[in-house]
């Protein structure tokens, strides 16, 4: 159920749309008919991850194995080895952190067709506090060979990514958020795994962002434009594999890159972009993330402000690259 | 050749078990590492599954979707599986002699992505039953009549995930799932009772809603009988608590050598020669 805090959880000029978890849940439910091999394995949080909507429509294709993420992931791996497209979802932290070795053994290492969906990612979940916040999940998922990692920014992109994820053969991690997400894309906008989206042209600097920070990046670019700074904005929705061409273009055509993400400083999009560019086109970079720390309880907007995930911080990061 | 089970008579099963034991010793001694003693304890069970009329497989088409599944959850005992699949016609003796060598698909623990016949990647203990449960649920969903067999060690059931899987298999009444616990009494650092005493195993399995059988797992007749009963039970999963001896087949030699556990120890060339001679006279 949407609450008032959901609506004010992201400080942005854009209108609020569906939470990405809601968009995923509706898309999965709708795609159930076109993808008869899809089954869902739930660790008793289906009403939070929204896989419940699929389960209610297709009860014979849904399994709730209780509060047991390790077993949940193993069961998904077993179902995938029987030819099913197994979607298993939990809060990002319980899925990646709790069942990491099971993901390694039952999904990544044998290359099984399992779709891992982590909801409630980042600090924007708010009051439930740090134990519920997946802030290491992208780093963990990217550390697994062969796992495609996707972080979506709004409802439309999530719906399209859900379909692309089901069509893709192999392990995928899809990272979703709890609160309502600002609208970035028009209905029907296309999505291709591994192909980033240039949302704004610009020749001075590039802001590479994903998830909720895409909206902040666009707002920051607006502010900077008034100062005469021309920013390109790239939605790097797929973190693994990275869109290396887009990064090469940004590094060669603009004067520096800011990477903005709702994740720890280490292991996520920023780390991956920096690693790629340092070996190809060393580039001045700056990073916007929560740093090297855990979050805490609080209202989402207050948390985002306190932990530095605002358009102002993104703009400051771009300004820091000058001179 | 289509999917079929291989059914040997009692003498044939005993001869096959002996041959599998020979291969276990040969390949681990050649590798210079590995877990022969844990492989030997499970030899009757694996032999019965492959040659006692249970696992419907096609070595020419090892990924046939209609096949039965066998998961070696105690992945360190993979020599017994390589040996059985070699005898089944999946691999040659020459191939499995590359065990643990660089570039060989016969890794120290099963790798499902690399080798047909490895139904799950195992070796991180406690995970096989969950994967087997997923396979059993898949068979039920597709209304196919295969079975999933999962062989676990008595050490690895320390892992809580095993009991998560037990509870879920009971919930979904997976009569096509058969778990076998190879109770050989040892885990890495010592006797299972001393490391973590799991108490009365059969009662625990029963309490989790499983049809439970308790047998002497190095007695081929008891193994065959239990597997038949397990297959006949269609309303709920079956667990076979299989009491075995680590190093079964060459245990008197292990006693003479002064170590009845030998976890993770291959036999030296001299000991292997002695063991193969012992087996040939058994």
């Amino acid at each position: 159920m949407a609450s008032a805090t959901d609506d004010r959880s992201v400080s942005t000029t854009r209108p609020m749309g569906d939470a990405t978890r809601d968009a995923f849940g509706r898309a999965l439910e709708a795609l159930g008919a076109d993808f008869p091999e899809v089954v869902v394995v739930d660790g008793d949080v289906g009403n939070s991850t929204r896989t419940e909507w699929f389960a209610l429509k297709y009860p014979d294709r849904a399994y709730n194995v209780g509060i047991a993420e390790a077993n949940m992931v193993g069961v998904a791996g077993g179902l995938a080895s029987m030819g099913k497209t197994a979607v298993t979802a939990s809060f990002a932290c319980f899925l990646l952190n709790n069942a990491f070795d099971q993901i390694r053994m039952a999904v990544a290492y044998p290359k099984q067709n399992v779709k891992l969906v982590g909801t409630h990612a980042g600090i924007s979940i708010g009051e439930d506090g740090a134990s519920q916040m997946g802030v290491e999940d992208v780093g963990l998922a990217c550390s697994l060979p062969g796992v495609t990692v996707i972080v979506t920014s709004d409802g439309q992109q999530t719906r399209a990514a859900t379909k692309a994820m089901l069509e893709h053969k192999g392990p995928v991690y899809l990272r979703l958020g709890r609160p309502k997400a600002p609208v970035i894309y028009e209905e029907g906008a296309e999505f291709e795994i591994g192909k980033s989206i240039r949302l704004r042209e610009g020749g001075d600097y590039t802001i590479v962002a994903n998830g909720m920070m895409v909206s902040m990046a666009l707002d920051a670019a607006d502010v900077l434009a008034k100062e005469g700074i021309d920013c390109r904005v790239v939605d790097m929705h797929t973190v693994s594999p990275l869109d290396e061409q887009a990064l090469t273009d940004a590094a060669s055509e603009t004067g520096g890159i800011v990477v903005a993400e709702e994740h720890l400083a280490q292991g996520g999009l920023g780390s991956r972009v920096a690693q790629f560019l340092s070996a190809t086109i060393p580039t001045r970079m700056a990073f916007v993330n929560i740093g090297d720390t855990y979050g805490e309880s609080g209202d989402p907007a207050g948390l985002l402000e306190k932990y530095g995930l605002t358009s102002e911080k993104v703009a400051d990061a771009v300004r820091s690259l000058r001179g | 050749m289509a999917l079929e089970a291989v059914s040997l008579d009692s003498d044939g099963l005993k001869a096959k078990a002996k041959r599998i034991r020979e291969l276990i010793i040969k390949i681990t001694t050649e590798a210079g590492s590995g877990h022969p003693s844990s492989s030997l304890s499970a030899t009757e069970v694996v032999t019965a599954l492959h040659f006692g009329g249970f696992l419907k497989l096609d070595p020419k088409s090892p990924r046939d979707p209609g096949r039965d599944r066998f998961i070696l959850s105690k992945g360190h005992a993979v020599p017994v599986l390589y040996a059985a699949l070699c005898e089944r016609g999946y691999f040659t003796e020459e191939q499995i002699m590359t065990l643990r060598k660089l570039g060989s698909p016969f890794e120290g623990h099963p790798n499902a992505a690399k080798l047909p016949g490895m139904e799950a990647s195992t070796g991180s203990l406690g995970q096989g039953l969950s994967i087997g449960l997923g396979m059993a649920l898949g068979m039920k969903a597709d209304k196919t009549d295969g079975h999933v067999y999962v062989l676990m060690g008595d050490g690895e059931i320390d892992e809580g995930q095993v009991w998560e899987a037990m509870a879920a298999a009971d919930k979904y009444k997976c009569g096509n799932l058969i778990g076998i616990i190879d109770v050989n009494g040892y885990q890495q650092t010592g006797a299972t009772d001393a490391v973590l005493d799991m108490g009365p195993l059969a009662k625990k399995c029963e309490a989790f809603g499983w049809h439970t059988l308790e047998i002497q797992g190095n007695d081929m007749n008891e193994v065959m009988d239990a597997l038949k009963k397990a297959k006949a039970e269609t309303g709920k999963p079956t667990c076979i608590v299989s009491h075995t001896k680590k190093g079964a087949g060459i245990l008197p030699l292990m006693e003479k050598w002064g170590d009845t556990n030998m976890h993770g120890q291959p036999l030296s060339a001299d000991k292997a020669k002695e063991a193969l001679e012992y087996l040939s006279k058994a």
Side-chain angles (χ1 to χ4, degrees), chain B residues 99-130:
Chain B
L99 171 70
R100 288 175 171 251
K101 299 253 166 62
L102 193 62
S104 168
F106 299 91
E107 293 198 29
H109 294 77
N111 181 341
K114 229 177 229 183
L115 203 59
M118 305 298 110
E119 301 289 8
S121 295
T122 55
S124 182
L125 293 172
Q127 301 190 19
L129 192 61
S130 299

PDB file of all heavy atoms in Angstrom, chain B residues 99-130:
ATOM      1  N   LEU B  99      40.985 -37.033 -13.219  1.00  0.00           N
ATOM      2  CA  LEU B  99      40.400 -36.400 -12.031  1.00  0.00           C
ATOM      3  C   LEU B  99      41.335 -35.354 -11.420  1.00  0.00           C
ATOM      4  O   LEU B  99      42.504 -35.646 -11.172  1.00  0.00           O
ATOM      5  CB  LEU B  99      40.099 -37.497 -10.989  1.00  0.00           C
ATOM      6  CG  LEU B  99      39.667 -37.039  -9.586  1.00  0.00           C
ATOM      7  CD1 LEU B  99      38.270 -36.425  -9.624  1.00  0.00           C
ATOM      8  CD2 LEU B  99      39.693 -38.205  -8.605  1.00  0.00           C
ATOM      9  N   ARG B 100      40.787 -34.173 -11.217  1.00  0.00           N
ATOM     10  CA  ARG B 100      41.478 -33.085 -10.506  1.00  0.00           C
ATOM     11  C   ARG B 100      42.687 -32.513 -11.253  1.00  0.00           C
ATOM     12  O   ARG B 100      43.441 -31.718 -10.682  1.00  0.00           O
ATOM     13  CB  ARG B 100      41.915 -33.554  -9.105  1.00  0.00           C
ATOM     14  CG  ARG B 100      40.743 -33.718  -8.146  1.00  0.00           C
ATOM     15  CD  ARG B 100      41.147 -34.301  -6.812  1.00  0.00           C
ATOM     16  NE  ARG B 100      40.012 -34.236  -5.879  1.00  0.00           N
ATOM     17  CZ  ARG B 100      39.935 -33.420  -4.835  1.00  0.00           C
ATOM     18  NH1 ARG B 100      40.926 -32.614  -4.551  1.00  0.00           N
ATOM     19  NH2 ARG B 100      38.863 -33.419  -4.057  1.00  0.00           N
ATOM     20  N   LYS B 101      42.878 -32.924 -12.508  1.00  0.00           N
ATOM     21  CA  LYS B 101      44.011 -32.373 -13.256  1.00  0.00           C
ATOM     22  C   LYS B 101      43.583 -31.097 -13.987  1.00  0.00           C
ATOM     23  O   LYS B 101      42.423 -30.964 -14.392  1.00  0.00           O
ATOM     24  CB  LYS B 101      44.508 -33.404 -14.276  1.00  0.00           C
ATOM     25  CG  LYS B 101      45.007 -34.699 -13.611  1.00  0.00           C
ATOM     26  CD  LYS B 101      46.524 -34.793 -13.657  1.00  0.00           C
ATOM     27  CE  LYS B 101      47.071 -35.865 -12.738  1.00  0.00           C
ATOM     28  NZ  LYS B 101      46.640 -37.208 -13.070  1.00  0.00           N
ATOM     29  N   LEU B 102      44.523 -30.228 -14.231  1.00  0.00           N
ATOM     30  CA  LEU B 102      44.234 -28.963 -14.909  1.00  0.00           C
ATOM     31  C   LEU B 102      43.608 -29.227 -16.282  1.00  0.00           C
ATOM     32  O   LEU B 102      44.134 -30.016 -17.064  1.00  0.00           O
ATOM     33  CB  LEU B 102      45.532 -28.168 -15.060  1.00  0.00           C
ATOM     34  CG  LEU B 102      45.370 -26.704 -15.475  1.00  0.00           C
ATOM     35  CD1 LEU B 102      44.592 -25.925 -14.428  1.00  0.00           C
ATOM     36  CD2 LEU B 102      46.729 -26.076 -15.692  1.00  0.00           C
ATOM     37  N   GLY B 103      42.477 -28.581 -16.539  1.00  0.00           N
ATOM     38  CA  GLY B 103      41.821 -28.722 -17.834  1.00  0.00           C
ATOM     39  C   GLY B 103      40.835 -29.870 -17.897  1.00  0.00           C
ATOM     40  O   GLY B 103      40.067 -29.981 -18.858  1.00  0.00           O
ATOM     41  N   SER B 104      40.818 -30.743 -16.898  1.00  0.00           N
ATOM     42  CA  SER B 104      39.894 -31.881 -16.902  1.00  0.00           C
ATOM     43  C   SER B 104      38.510 -31.431 -16.432  1.00  0.00           C
ATOM     44  O   SER B 104      38.400 -30.641 -15.495  1.00  0.00           O
ATOM     45  CB  SER B 104      40.406 -32.968 -15.960  1.00  0.00           C
ATOM     46  OG  SER B 104      39.390 -33.939 -15.752  1.00  0.00           O
ATOM     47  N   PRO B 105      37.450 -31.954 -17.077  1.00  0.00           N
ATOM     48  CA  PRO B 105      36.110 -31.641 -16.564  1.00  0.00           C
ATOM     49  C   PRO B 105      35.794 -32.428 -15.289  1.00  0.00           C
ATOM     50  O   PRO B 105      34.794 -32.159 -14.633  1.00  0.00           O
ATOM     51  CB  PRO B 105      35.189 -32.071 -17.708  1.00  0.00           C
ATOM     52  CG  PRO B 105      35.951 -33.137 -18.422  1.00  0.00           C
ATOM     53  CD  PRO B 105      37.403 -32.798 -18.275  1.00  0.00           C
ATOM     54  N   PHE B 106      36.661 -33.401 -14.951  1.00  0.00           N
ATOM     55  CA  PHE B 106      36.431 -34.201 -13.748  1.00  0.00           C
ATOM     56  C   PHE B 106      37.041 -33.479 -12.557  1.00  0.00           C
ATOM     57  O   PHE B 106      38.116 -33.823 -12.061  1.00  0.00           O
ATOM     58  CB  PHE B 106      36.992 -35.629 -13.942  1.00  0.00           C
ATOM     59  CG  PHE B 106      36.313 -36.341 -15.075  1.00  0.00           C
ATOM     60  CD1 PHE B 106      36.819 -36.280 -16.370  1.00  0.00           C
ATOM     61  CD2 PHE B 106      35.122 -37.023 -14.861  1.00  0.00           C
ATOM     62  CE1 PHE B 106      36.164 -36.893 -17.428  1.00  0.00           C
ATOM     63  CE2 PHE B 106      34.464 -37.639 -15.917  1.00  0.00           C
ATOM     64  CZ  PHE B 106      34.983 -37.567 -17.200  1.00  0.00           C
ATOM     65  N   GLU B 107      36.321 -32.442 -12.137  1.00  0.00           N
ATOM     66  CA  GLU B 107      36.819 -31.590 -11.071  1.00  0.00           C
ATOM     67  C   GLU B 107      36.706 -32.303  -9.721  1.00  0.00           C
ATOM     68  O   GLU B 107      36.061 -33.337  -9.585  1.00  0.00           O
ATOM     69  CB  GLU B 107      36.015 -30.289 -11.045  1.00  0.00           C
ATOM     70  CG  GLU B 107      36.251 -29.432 -12.274  1.00  0.00           C
ATOM     71  CD  GLU B 107      35.820 -27.985 -12.057  1.00  0.00           C
ATOM     72  OE1 GLU B 107      35.871 -27.509 -10.914  1.00  0.00           O
ATOM     73  OE2 GLU B 107      35.435 -27.349 -13.043  1.00  0.00           O
ATOM     74  N   GLY B 108      37.302 -31.692  -8.731  1.00  0.00           N
ATOM     75  CA  GLY B 108      37.287 -32.282  -7.388  1.00  0.00           C
ATOM     76  C   GLY B 108      35.914 -32.349  -6.759  1.00  0.00           C
ATOM     77  O   GLY B 108      35.686 -33.098  -5.804  1.00  0.00           O
ATOM     78  N   HIS B 109      35.006 -31.542  -7.275  1.00  0.00           N
ATOM     79  CA  HIS B 109      33.599 -31.577  -6.853  1.00  0.00           C
ATOM     80  C   HIS B 109      32.756 -31.385  -8.116  1.00  0.00           C
ATOM     81  O   HIS B 109      33.218 -30.777  -9.072  1.00  0.00           O
ATOM     82  CB  HIS B 109      33.304 -30.469  -5.840  1.00  0.00           C
ATOM     83  CG  HIS B 109      34.022 -30.645  -4.521  1.00  0.00           C
ATOM     84  ND1 HIS B 109      35.355 -30.353  -4.358  1.00  0.00           N
ATOM     85  CD2 HIS B 109      33.590 -31.106  -3.317  1.00  0.00           C
ATOM     86  CE1 HIS B 109      35.718 -30.633  -3.102  1.00  0.00           C
ATOM     87  NE2 HIS B 109      34.663 -31.083  -2.456  1.00  0.00           N
ATOM     88  N   PRO B 110      31.508 -31.881  -8.120  1.00  0.00           N
ATOM     89  CA  PRO B 110      30.716 -31.863  -9.365  1.00  0.00           C
ATOM     90  C   PRO B 110      30.457 -30.455  -9.910  1.00  0.00           C
ATOM     91  O   PRO B 110      30.100 -29.555  -9.160  1.00  0.00           O
ATOM     92  CB  PRO B 110      29.384 -32.506  -8.941  1.00  0.00           C
ATOM     93  CG  PRO B 110      29.718 -33.330  -7.740  1.00  0.00           C
ATOM     94  CD  PRO B 110      30.800 -32.579  -7.031  1.00  0.00           C
ATOM     95  N   ASN B 111      30.642 -30.311 -11.195  1.00  0.00           N
ATOM     96  CA  ASN B 111      30.380 -29.043 -11.876  1.00  0.00           C
ATOM     97  C   ASN B 111      29.332 -29.297 -12.955  1.00  0.00           C
ATOM     98  O   ASN B 111      29.627 -29.868 -14.003  1.00  0.00           O
ATOM     99  CB  ASN B 111      31.671 -28.505 -12.490  1.00  0.00           C
ATOM    100  CG  ASN B 111      31.469 -27.183 -13.197  1.00  0.00           C
ATOM    101  OD1 ASN B 111      30.348 -26.805 -13.551  1.00  0.00           O
ATOM    102  ND2 ASN B 111      32.553 -26.461 -13.414  1.00  0.00           N
ATOM    103  N   ALA B 112      28.109 -28.873 -12.671  1.00  0.00           N
ATOM    104  CA  ALA B 112      26.982 -29.179 -13.559  1.00  0.00           C
ATOM    105  C   ALA B 112      27.115 -28.503 -14.915  1.00  0.00           C
ATOM    106  O   ALA B 112      26.568 -28.984 -15.905  1.00  0.00           O
ATOM    107  CB  ALA B 112      25.668 -28.771 -12.893  1.00  0.00           C
ATOM    108  N   ALA B 113      27.830 -27.390 -14.971  1.00  0.00           N
ATOM    109  CA  ALA B 113      27.937 -26.665 -16.238  1.00  0.00           C
ATOM    110  C   ALA B 113      28.935 -27.344 -17.172  1.00  0.00           C
ATOM    111  O   ALA B 113      28.934 -27.106 -18.371  1.00  0.00           O
ATOM    112  CB  ALA B 113      28.353 -25.217 -15.981  1.00  0.00           C
ATOM    113  N   LYS B 114      29.816 -28.180 -16.615  1.00  0.00           N
ATOM    114  CA  LYS B 114      30.911 -28.715 -17.390  1.00  0.00           C
ATOM    115  C   LYS B 114      30.705 -30.147 -17.861  1.00  0.00           C
ATOM    116  O   LYS B 114      31.280 -30.555 -18.865  1.00  0.00           O
ATOM    117  CB  LYS B 114      32.184 -28.660 -16.542  1.00  0.00           C
ATOM    118  CG  LYS B 114      33.377 -28.043 -17.243  1.00  0.00           C
ATOM    119  CD  LYS B 114      34.565 -27.970 -16.301  1.00  0.00           C
ATOM    120  CE  LYS B 114      35.183 -26.591 -16.311  1.00  0.00           C
ATOM    121  NZ  LYS B 114      36.369 -26.515 -15.470  1.00  0.00           N
ATOM    122  N   LEU B 115      29.932 -30.907 -17.109  1.00  0.00           N
ATOM    123  CA  LEU B 115      29.945 -32.345 -17.324  1.00  0.00           C
ATOM    124  C   LEU B 115      28.542 -32.945 -17.261  1.00  0.00           C
ATOM    125  O   LEU B 115      27.839 -32.796 -16.267  1.00  0.00           O
ATOM    126  CB  LEU B 115      30.809 -32.968 -16.217  1.00  0.00           C
ATOM    127  CG  LEU B 115      31.444 -34.322 -16.456  1.00  0.00           C
ATOM    128  CD1 LEU B 115      32.356 -34.288 -17.678  1.00  0.00           C
ATOM    129  CD2 LEU B 115      32.242 -34.721 -15.222  1.00  0.00           C
ATOM    130  N   PRO B 116      28.125 -33.652 -18.333  1.00  0.00           N
ATOM    131  CA  PRO B 116      26.837 -34.343 -18.257  1.00  0.00           C
ATOM    132  C   PRO B 116      26.881 -35.398 -17.162  1.00  0.00           C
ATOM    133  O   PRO B 116      27.918 -35.999 -16.910  1.00  0.00           O
ATOM    134  CB  PRO B 116      26.696 -34.987 -19.638  1.00  0.00           C
ATOM    135  CG  PRO B 116      28.048 -34.962 -20.252  1.00  0.00           C
ATOM    136  CD  PRO B 116      28.825 -33.864 -19.602  1.00  0.00           C
ATOM    137  N   GLY B 117      25.754 -35.595 -16.517  1.00  0.00           N
ATOM    138  CA  GLY B 117      25.710 -36.546 -15.408  1.00  0.00           C
ATOM    139  C   GLY B 117      25.832 -35.858 -14.062  1.00  0.00           C
ATOM    140  O   GLY B 117      25.428 -36.406 -13.047  1.00  0.00           O
ATOM    141  N   MET B 118      26.396 -34.647 -14.064  1.00  0.00           N
ATOM    142  CA  MET B 118      26.417 -33.867 -12.833  1.00  0.00           C
ATOM    143  C   MET B 118      25.135 -33.029 -12.833  1.00  0.00           C
ATOM    144  O   MET B 118      25.026 -32.050 -13.566  1.00  0.00           O
ATOM    145  CB  MET B 118      27.638 -32.935 -12.776  1.00  0.00           C
ATOM    146  CG  MET B 118      28.991 -33.619 -12.958  1.00  0.00           C
ATOM    147  SD  MET B 118      29.359 -34.834 -11.693  1.00  0.00           S
ATOM    148  CE  MET B 118      29.223 -36.352 -12.665  1.00  0.00           C
ATOM    149  N   GLU B 119      24.174 -33.430 -12.043  1.00  0.00           N
ATOM    150  CA  GLU B 119      22.871 -32.753 -12.109  1.00  0.00           C
ATOM    151  C   GLU B 119      22.848 -31.462 -11.312  1.00  0.00           C
ATOM    152  O   GLU B 119      21.961 -30.633 -11.499  1.00  0.00           O
ATOM    153  CB  GLU B 119      21.761 -33.691 -11.617  1.00  0.00           C
ATOM    154  CG  GLU B 119      21.658 -34.985 -12.416  1.00  0.00           C
ATOM    155  CD  GLU B 119      21.113 -34.779 -13.836  1.00  0.00           C
ATOM    156  OE1 GLU B 119      20.954 -33.624 -14.261  1.00  0.00           O
ATOM    157  OE2 GLU B 119      20.869 -35.797 -14.509  1.00  0.00           O
ATOM    158  N   ALA B 120      23.783 -31.293 -10.407  1.00  0.00           N
ATOM    159  CA  ALA B 120      23.864 -30.052  -9.637  1.00  0.00           C
ATOM    160  C   ALA B 120      25.321 -29.799  -9.302  1.00  0.00           C
ATOM    161  O   ALA B 120      26.101 -30.739  -9.169  1.00  0.00           O
ATOM    162  CB  ALA B 120      23.053 -30.154  -8.345  1.00  0.00           C
ATOM    163  N   SER B 121      25.661 -28.539  -9.197  1.00  0.00           N
ATOM    164  CA  SER B 121      27.004 -28.185  -8.740  1.00  0.00           C
ATOM    165  C   SER B 121      26.981 -28.245  -7.216  1.00  0.00           C
ATOM    166  O   SER B 121      26.222 -27.529  -6.579  1.00  0.00           O
ATOM    167  CB  SER B 121      27.366 -26.783  -9.209  1.00  0.00           C
ATOM    168  OG  SER B 121      27.456 -26.757 -10.614  1.00  0.00           O
ATOM    169  N   THR B 122      27.792 -29.114  -6.670  1.00  0.00           N
ATOM    170  CA  THR B 122      27.789 -29.277  -5.217  1.00  0.00           C
ATOM    171  C   THR B 122      29.216 -29.236  -4.702  1.00  0.00           C
ATOM    172  O   THR B 122      30.171 -29.202  -5.473  1.00  0.00           O
ATOM    173  CB  THR B 122      27.127 -30.612  -4.816  1.00  0.00           C
ATOM    174  OG1 THR B 122      27.789 -31.672  -5.513  1.00  0.00           O
ATOM    175  CG2 THR B 122      25.653 -30.624  -5.167  1.00  0.00           C
ATOM    176  N   GLY B 123      29.325 -29.253  -3.400  1.00  0.00           N
ATOM    177  CA  GLY B 123      30.639 -29.147  -2.792  1.00  0.00           C
ATOM    178  C   GLY B 123      30.622 -28.067  -1.723  1.00  0.00           C
ATOM    179  O   GLY B 123      31.446 -28.061  -0.817  1.00  0.00           O
ATOM    180  N   SER B 124      29.687 -27.147  -1.834  1.00  0.00           N
ATOM    181  CA  SER B 124      29.348 -26.287  -0.710  1.00  0.00           C
ATOM    182  C   SER B 124      28.218 -27.044  -0.031  1.00  0.00           C
ATOM    183  O   SER B 124      27.123 -27.187  -0.583  1.00  0.00           O
ATOM    184  CB  SER B 124      28.891 -24.922  -1.216  1.00  0.00           C
ATOM    185  OG  SER B 124      28.602 -24.081  -0.131  1.00  0.00           O
ATOM    186  N   LEU B 125      28.489 -27.579   1.139  1.00  0.00           N
ATOM    187  CA  LEU B 125      27.611 -28.616   1.699  1.00  0.00           C
ATOM    188  C   LEU B 125      26.249 -28.089   2.136  1.00  0.00           C
ATOM    189  O   LEU B 125      26.087 -26.929   2.487  1.00  0.00           O
ATOM    190  CB  LEU B 125      28.320 -29.302   2.864  1.00  0.00           C
ATOM    191  CG  LEU B 125      29.552 -30.115   2.438  1.00  0.00           C
ATOM    192  CD1 LEU B 125      30.319 -30.612   3.657  1.00  0.00           C
ATOM    193  CD2 LEU B 125      29.137 -31.299   1.565  1.00  0.00           C
ATOM    194  N   GLY B 126      25.266 -28.983   2.091  1.00  0.00           N
ATOM    195  CA  GLY B 126      23.939 -28.675   2.601  1.00  0.00           C
ATOM    196  C   GLY B 126      22.964 -28.181   1.549  1.00  0.00           C
ATOM    197  O   GLY B 126      21.814 -27.877   1.868  1.00  0.00           O
ATOM    198  N   GLN B 127      23.392 -28.096   0.291  1.00  0.00           N
ATOM    199  CA  GLN B 127      22.554 -27.433  -0.708  1.00  0.00           C
ATOM    200  C   GLN B 127      21.832 -28.378  -1.668  1.00  0.00           C
ATOM    201  O   GLN B 127      20.901 -27.969  -2.355  1.00  0.00           O
ATOM    202  CB  GLN B 127      23.395 -26.437  -1.513  1.00  0.00           C
ATOM    203  CG  GLN B 127      24.042 -25.375  -0.625  1.00  0.00           C
ATOM    204  CD  GLN B 127      24.669 -24.241  -1.403  1.00  0.00           C
ATOM    205  OE1 GLN B 127      24.365 -24.025  -2.563  1.00  0.00           O
ATOM    206  NE2 GLN B 127      25.539 -23.492  -0.748  1.00  0.00           N
ATOM    207  N   GLY B 128      22.255 -29.629  -1.743  1.00  0.00           N
ATOM    208  CA  GLY B 128      21.716 -30.528  -2.771  1.00  0.00           C
ATOM    209  C   GLY B 128      20.240 -30.837  -2.622  1.00  0.00           C
ATOM    210  O   GLY B 128      19.527 -30.959  -3.618  1.00  0.00           O
ATOM    211  N   LEU B 129      19.779 -30.956  -1.387  1.00  0.00           N
ATOM    212  CA  LEU B 129      18.367 -31.333  -1.208  1.00  0.00           C
ATOM    213  C   LEU B 129      17.436 -30.235  -1.717  1.00  0.00           C
ATOM    214  O   LEU B 129      16.382 -30.519  -2.277  1.00  0.00           O
ATOM    215  CB  LEU B 129      18.080 -31.648   0.270  1.00  0.00           C
ATOM    216  CG  LEU B 129      16.737 -32.330   0.532  1.00  0.00           C
ATOM    217  CD1 LEU B 129      16.648 -33.688  -0.175  1.00  0.00           C
ATOM    218  CD2 LEU B 129      16.476 -32.503   2.024  1.00  0.00           C
ATOM    219  N   SER B 130      17.824 -28.977  -1.550  1.00  0.00           N
ATOM    220  CA  SER B 130      16.995 -27.872  -2.051  1.00  0.00           C
ATOM    221  C   SER B 130      16.886 -27.928  -3.570  1.00  0.00           C
ATOM    222  O   SER B 130      15.796 -27.758  -4.133  1.00  0.00           O
ATOM    223  CB  SER B 130      17.597 -26.526  -1.652  1.00  0.00           C
ATOM    224  OG  SER B 130      17.661 -26.396  -0.255  1.00  0.00           O
TER     225      SER B 130
END
